[in-house]
Amino acid sequence: MNIAIAGAGLVGRVLALALLKDNEHSITMFEKDSKEGISSAGFTAAGMLAPFSELETAESIISQLGQISIRLWPSLLKEIGLCDGYEQNGSIITAHPQDMSELEHFIGRLKQKTDVSQSIESLDQEALKSLEPALYSHQKGFLVKNEGVIDAQRFISFSNDYFDKQANITIQEQTEVKSIGAHKVHLLNSTEQFDWVFDARGLGAKEYFEDLRGVRGEVLWVETDEININRPTRIMHPRYKIYIVPRNNDSKANSTTGTKRYIIGATEIESEDLSPISVRSTMELLSALYTVHPSFGEARVVISETNCRPAFRDNLPRIENKKGLTRINGLYRHGWLLAPAIIEKALDEGIRNKG
């Protein structure tokens, strides 16, 4: 089939990989920015795969789909040659002594949503210190098993290299799509015909989805050779729940000196503002980070990023299928967790049974 994918962000890329595995389709991807994908929400994200930890503020379906995605991700990463871009060693949830009630409330909320008791292990101070020595000052924590993380930025890069080698896929970058219909992609000055069209534009699809909104997120990357945290870690707090996600550094110089990078995030702002990170967010994130371990005070802030994630009113993903057209949108803050499962569902309901 001759297939169009509008949008070369996370959803568009995973979709292209799934279609390439299905058949020898001819695929054209349309991307309004560069094909490097660095302007996409998926590139900014930390890439956490946390189907249980996200349950505090998400519906049970998010956890169910997330667990499916976790099973699908390894084969997708193997396909593009990113065999070391995925870890599934669990995640840590902890809090400072004065915020222990927040921690207990968080775990209680998880257990109310679904039966996750088998996936959560309570850790006293010694057990937590044994697992993550840098968290020695925390009296209690929880290990959420079977959660993990994907190196989001390397996935984008490796998928670019993979697509460049495929004869049956073309990326038309710097090409804005005005609108999409069944079998049709309307560009600024032309209309192109296809056997099937996929709309994976995120916020770019607002001309069709009236209830689609952007939710701003801000992250900081810090670098230090004094702290070694190996698992994604969430710190509970009454005002902001920060996450710390370790990120392997490809630099040979940094690998020999033991320097490690971490993505720090937490902000979730009802705004489609793409301007740089605010002073308030920077101060709150870094203040919370410093309380985790004093050596973070000497870490270097090397990157700051902002982006907006597409979401609907219920914060749940949406699939719309009809013959010749599939729309996938609204993955909100769960893009990396949901993308493979949502795409498989969309393909099964649409193009694989011809709509």
Side-chain angles (χ1 to χ4, degrees):
M1 297 183 74
N2 186 21
I3 294 173
I5 300 175
L10 169 62
V11 171
R13 289 165 191 271
V14 176
L15 179 56
L17 290 172
L19 289 168
L20 288 172
K21 291 178 72 174
D22 269 4
N23 278 299
E24 288 297 320
H25 298 300
S26 174
I27 300 172
T28 302
M29 300 180 74
F30 297 93
E31 172 54 46
K32 67 177 182 178
D33 296 316
S34 73
K35 68 178 183 179
E36 276 71 30
I38 60 175
S39 63
S40 68
F43 185 86
T44 305
M48 289 189 294
L49 304 179
F52 303 113
S53 298
E54 290 293 333
L55 274 172
E56 191 227 4
T57 56
E59 301 294 330
S60 297
I61 187 63
I62 299 299
S63 177
Q64 296 164 16
L65 291 169
Q67 292 175 70
I68 295 172
S69 288
I70 283 178
R71 295 195 292 270
L72 294 172
W73 267 118
S75 63
L76 290 170
L77 296 171
K78 182 179 179 181
E79 186 69 21
I80 63 173
L82 184 56
C83 298
D84 63 343
Y86 172 80
E87 294 182 3
Q88 192 180 356
N89 299 318
S91 59
I92 298 291
I93 305 175
T94 186
H96 300 294
Q98 65 271 24
D99 301 322
M100 203 54 65
S101 61
E102 292 290 325
L103 179 61
E104 297 292 351
H105 177 72
F106 183 91
I107 297 298
R109 289 274 293 166
L110 297 190
K111 294 181 177 180
Q112 286 176 8
K113 291 291 185 74
T114 188
D115 182 16
V116 296
S117 300
Q118 299 299 317
S119 299
I120 300 178
E121 179 183 342
S122 180
L123 306 170
D124 61 18
Q125 189 170 20
E126 283 302 313
L128 182 57
K129 180 180 176 181
S130 176
L131 205 61
E132 292 287 355
L135 302 178
Y136 66 88
S137 64
H138 297 266
Q139 297 178 359
K140 186 176 182 179
F142 293 88
L143 171 66
V144 186
K145 304 172 186 176
N146 301 321
E147 295 194 333
V149 64
I150 284 179
D151 193 323
Q153 294 71 34
R154 290 178 69 209
F155 171 83
I156 300 292
S157 175
F158 273 61
S159 61
N160 274 335
D161 293 341
Y162 178 81
F163 293 147
D164 283 344
K165 297 173 185 175
Q166 306 304 308
N168 54 333
I169 185 167
T170 302
I171 302 180
Q172 292 192 21
E173 57 184 337
Q174 311 294 343
T175 304
E176 186 172 353
V177 172
K178 282 182 60 179
S179 63
I180 287 172
H183 306 290
K184 296 179 180 180
V185 175
H186 302 284
L187 305 176
L188 291 178
N189 298 308
S190 64
T191 296
E192 298 194 17
Q193 298 279 341
F194 296 90
D195 297 321
W196 207 283
V197 176
F198 289 89
D199 188 350
R201 291 175 293 162
L203 289 176
K206 290 186 74 172
E207 105 280 335
Y208 177 79
F209 293 109
E210 293 183 357
D211 57 338
L212 187 65
R213 77 189 197 281
V215 181
R216 175 180 166 98
E218 303 161 317
V219 297
L220 296 171
W221 289 53
V222 302
E223 190 175 88
T224 177
D225 59 2
E226 298 184 37
I227 302 166
N228 185 30
I229 297 175
N230 295 302
R231 293 169 178 82
T233 300
R234 296 172 187 252
I235 311 296
M236 296 297 103
H237 186 278
R239 287 183 57 205
Y240 35 80
K241 301 174 176 65
I242 74 163
Y243 58 76
I244 303 169
V245 178
R247 185 65 89 228
N248 291 329
N249 194 324
D250 291 335
S251 167
K252 291 183 178 180
N254 285 338
S255 64
T256 57
T257 60
T259 300
K260 197 163 186 176
R261 284 187 171 184
Y262 300 90
I263 301 179
I264 316 301
T267 59
E268 192 172 314
I269 303 166
E270 289 291 337
S271 168
E272 293 184 19
D273 177 17
L274 290 172
S275 63
I277 189 169
S278 67
V279 170
R280 173 180 294 181
S281 294
T282 301
M283 291 178 65
E284 290 184 347
L285 287 175
L286 293 180
S287 295
L289 179 65
Y290 178 68
T291 63
V292 173
H293 195 294
S295 291
F296 271 124
E298 293 303 315
R300 296 297 184 257
V301 179
V302 293
I303 299 172
S304 67
E305 293 278 358
T306 61
N307 220 310
C308 289
R309 298 155 289 195
F312 295 109
R313 292 191 185 96
D314 58 5
N315 292 334
L316 293 176
R318 189 178 299 175
I319 298 169
E320 291 189 5
N321 264 312
K322 63 180 181 180
K323 190 170 181 60
L325 175 63
T326 299
R327 300 183 192 270
I328 305 170
N329 216 315
L331 273 66
Y332 184 39
R333 56 180 287 170
H334 310 300
W336 290 92
L337 179 63
L338 297 184
I342 286 292
I343 285 162
E344 285 299 308
K345 188 173 188 294
L347 294 177
D348 288 342
E349 295 174 353
I351 193 171
R352 287 174 182 160
N353 65 17
K354 302 298 185 290

